[in-house]
Amino acid sequence: MPRAAVPAYEQVKAFIRGRIASGQWKPGDPVPSEAALMQQFGISRMTVNRGLRELAGEGLVTRIQGSGTRVAQLHRISSRLTIRDIHEEVAERGHVHSTRVLLAAREKASAAMAQSLGLRTGGAVFHSRLVHLENGVAIQYEDRYVNPAAAPDYLKTDFTQVSPTLHLLQHAPLTEASYSIEACLPTAEEAKELGIRRTEPCLAMMRRTVSGAHVASVARLVYPGSRYSFAGQFQA
Amino acid sequence: MPRAAVPAYEQVKAFIRGRIASGQWKPGDPVPSEAALMQQFGISRMTVNRGLRELAGEGLVTRIQGSGTRVAQLHRISSRLTIRDIHEEVAERGHVHSTRVLLAAREKASAAMAQSLGLRTGGAVFHSRLVHLENGVAIQYEDRYVNPAAAPDYLKTDFTQVSPTLHLLQHAPLTEASYSIEACLPTAEEAKELGIRRTEPCLAMMRRTVSGAHVASVARLVYPGSRYSFAGQFQA
DNA sequence: GAGTGGTCTAGACCACAGA
DNA sequence: CTGTGGTCTAGACCACTCT
């Protein structure tokens, strides 16, 4: 028997997705059991199981052991938000990325910063400030503090060649991160470096990354509202 | 042989995750082959395969047929961004959600709106405008256009009881969506209804949802920058 | 050709839910 | 108790990569 071009478990997924998308199966409705789908498709249970398990992972169906599989209540469509290197992001748009380095220094940690990074107050901390440009236009002001324990060579990096994010991704494998995005007005310094008025609203992303046992970095990324937006797509 | 409390494929995943997190295996390094892991753990290939496949899905490793499995180059940590009902979101914080309805009407679609929703110009379109409050404080101004074909009963809904998002999630199962988030200043109307100054920066989310064959809805959600931020967590 | 991952099977035992 | 999903095995054939 020749293998189909599209795997059997994908066929099962497509079948169920279709019923849900077309509205034939509504939230809360039962999905055929693994045994039923085995018969219907003439395939083994492991294969059916894989299809259903993946649909559950995508949030399209809910499975309860002993009870059965049902169409998920709210079709929570979700997209993946990813920490990316801005250089890569700009390059993907076919544009030229460049960097203006404002500061790259070793400093003594303030109490607040020490707390954030899990250091002792007054301990050494790396501090960088730079502006990212896309085709020569400033799109991001990056103010970052780095834990020397997580990335000891941070300051040796030429940030015009390797962005701080990339250096950190390569030297301090991410294990955890948190972020928040808010709207704010730029500080005088930020406005000056970004070349915008102080009244222009900006997106600010606060990001804290953890690598293994260390908090690796705390950053504030400021984007002019008129030049940048976060966009994404959801797919069921 | 009694089943272990933690499944074998999870043990494989934990083993590999550990090596990566601890830095013993760096980006680009080869991960042991399925055959090697079978031997090491004394389990069957399908089980090893599931562990590795899930790690690949999480972006922690890259698998190439014929070549092997390697630690992924950039540990792209990503989190799921989900379309949620604001009522649910506020309730989850233990706060009280309420709604002020400003408008709920059938209108004729402008050319631009008809284009967005996939209608003919001048066709009927549902239009709602409302303010969402958390503990009595305005946190979101919602301006939404809905395709009558996707949710014919939209205007019959009491939006103080069932939010537009919830109604749509329930009656027009999401199949696709796109969004963008930007910083902006509120319009005069928005500032008035949100009770903020016109100079206060806001987050604006534009969202377009598709349900089956129809574009279901186009919405603009405006959040005062001082009262709201999008936040999230990434986990490897 | 040897080694890799992608898929699949036909069984199996188990934990759990619901009647 | 029956039916469900969760996990696992010991094989198998295939497509692919690399040497």
Side-chain angles (χ1 to χ4, degrees):
Chain A
M1 195 134 115
R3 266 296 183 270
V6 35
Y9 69 88
E10 286 292 357
Q11 295 183 34
V12 173
K13 288 174 69 174
F15 168 73
I16 294 172
R17 246 202 272 270
R19 296 302 166 114
I20 295 176
S22 69
Q24 290 174 66
W25 295 350
K26 298 197 181 309
D29 283 358
V31 169
S33 73
E34 297 190 351
L37 290 166
M38 277 173 67
Q39 284 225 339
Q40 179 178 335
F41 285 86
I43 58 181
S44 83
R45 200 187 136 207
M46 273 302 276
T47 305
V48 172
N49 180 274
R50 173 164 175 188
L52 290 176
R53 185 155 33 79
E54 292 189 0
L55 287 177
E58 294 166 20
L60 222 60
V61 301
T62 310
R63 316 192 76 198
I64 299 174
Q65 183 175 135
S67 171
T69 304
R70 296 173 171 278
V71 177
Q73 268 307 327
L74 295 187
H75 297 162
R76 296 219 179 131
I77 283 205
S78 54
S79 77
R80 298 197 85 85
L81 207 164
T82 307
I83 290 190
R84 306 189 57 191
D85 176 32
I86 193 168
H87 175 79
E88 189 188 34
E89 193 182 330
V90 170
E92 203 169 87
R93 288 196 281 268
H95 293 172
V96 177
H97 171 253
S98 55
T99 303
R100 207 161 63 224
V101 179
L102 307 177
L103 172 72
R106 170 193 227 96
E107 298 180 354
K108 286 188 178 169
S110 67
M113 192 47 59
Q115 164 107 33
S116 281
L117 289 172
L119 303 170
R120 56 182 200 294
T121 304
V125 63
F126 299 150
H127 186 189
S128 63
R129 274 195 185 135
L130 28 93
V131 176
H132 295 278
L133 304 96
E134 177 168 351
N135 287 349
V137 178
I139 56 164
Q140 184 195 103
Y141 182 96
E142 172 183 346
D143 190 349
R144 183 182 294 272
Y145 291 86
V146 171
N147 184 344
D153 296 335
Y154 184 68
L155 291 181
K156 294 179 190 158
T157 312
D158 176 0
F159 293 130
T160 63
Q161 300 303 313
V162 179
S163 74
T165 300
L166 185 56
H167 178 92
L168 289 170
L169 283 171
Q170 288 178 339
H171 294 77
L174 277 179
T175 52
E176 202 185 314
S178 59
Y179 68 90
S180 72
I181 299 170
E182 58 182 56
C184 67
L185 292 177
T187 65
E189 155 85 359
E190 287 161 359
K192 181 184 137 219
E193 295 296 340
L194 288 170
I196 57 176
R197 285 191 305 276
R198 287 214 53 187
T199 54
E200 172 165 347
C202 290
L203 286 172
M205 177 184 280
M206 245 68 67
R207 196 193 274 171
R208 185 164 173 277
T209 57
V210 176
S211 177
H214 303 110
V215 175
S217 167
V218 175
R220 174 180 154 92
L221 313 173
V222 179
Y223 304 83
S226 59
R227 298 178 195 157
Y228 196 89
S229 67
F230 296 106
Q233 265 227 321
F234 302 83
Q235 282 275 354
Chain B
M1 192 131 121
R3 269 292 184 275
V6 32
Y9 69 87
E10 286 292 356
Q11 294 182 36
V12 173
K13 289 173 69 174
F15 168 73
I16 293 172
R17 246 203 271 272
R19 296 301 167 115
I20 295 176
S22 70
Q24 290 174 67
W25 295 350
K26 299 199 181 307
D29 285 358
V31 170
S33 72
E34 297 190 350
L37 290 166
M38 276 173 68
Q39 285 225 337
Q40 179 177 335
F41 285 86
I43 59 181
S44 84
R45 201 187 135 204
M46 273 300 276
T47 306
V48 171
N49 180 273
R50 174 165 176 187
L52 290 176
R53 184 155 34 79
E54 292 190 0
L55 286 178
E58 294 166 22
L60 222 61
V61 302
T62 310
R63 315 194 76 198
I64 299 173
Q65 185 174 127
S67 172
T69 304
R70 296 174 171 278
V71 177
Q73 269 307 326
L74 297 188
H75 298 160
R76 297 219 179 133
I77 283 203
S78 57
S79 75
R80 298 196 87 85
L81 205 163
T82 307
I83 290 191
R84 306 190 57 191
D85 177 33
I86 193 170
H87 175 79
E88 189 189 33
E89 192 182 330
V90 170
E92 203 169 87
R93 287 197 281 267
H95 293 171
V96 177
H97 171 253
S98 55
T99 303
R100 207 161 63 223
V101 180
L102 306 176
L103 171 72
R106 169 192 227 98
E107 298 180 354
K108 285 186 179 168
S110 68
M113 192 47 60
Q115 165 106 31
S116 281
L117 288 173
L119 303 170
R120 56 183 203 293
T121 303
V125 62
F126 298 150
H127 186 189
S128 62
R129 274 195 185 134
L130 28 93
V131 176
H132 294 279
L133 303 97
E134 177 168 352
N135 287 349
V137 177
I139 57 163
Q140 185 196 100
Y141 182 96
E142 172 183 346
D143 191 349
R144 183 183 293 272
Y145 291 86
V146 171
N147 184 343
D153 296 335
Y154 184 69
L155 292 181
K156 294 179 189 159
T157 311
D158 176 0
F159 293 130
T160 63
Q161 299 302 312
V162 179
S163 74
T165 300
L166 185 56
H167 178 92
L168 290 169
L169 283 170
Q170 288 177 339
H171 293 78
L174 277 179
T175 52
E176 202 185 314
S178 59
Y179 68 91
S180 72
I181 298 170
E182 58 181 57
C184 67
L185 293 177
T187 65
E189 155 84 0
E190 287 161 359
K192 181 185 138 220
E193 294 296 340
L194 289 170
I196 57 175
R197 286 191 304 273
R198 287 213 53 186
T199 54
E200 172 165 346
C202 290
L203 286 172
M205 177 185 280
M206 245 68 69
R207 195 192 275 170
R208 184 163 172 278
T209 57
V210 175
S211 176
H214 303 110
V215 176
S217 166
V218 174
R220 175 181 154 89
L221 313 173
V222 178
Y223 304 83
S226 59
R227 299 180 194 156
Y228 196 90
S229 67
F230 297 104
Q233 265 228 319
F234 303 83
Q235 282 276 350

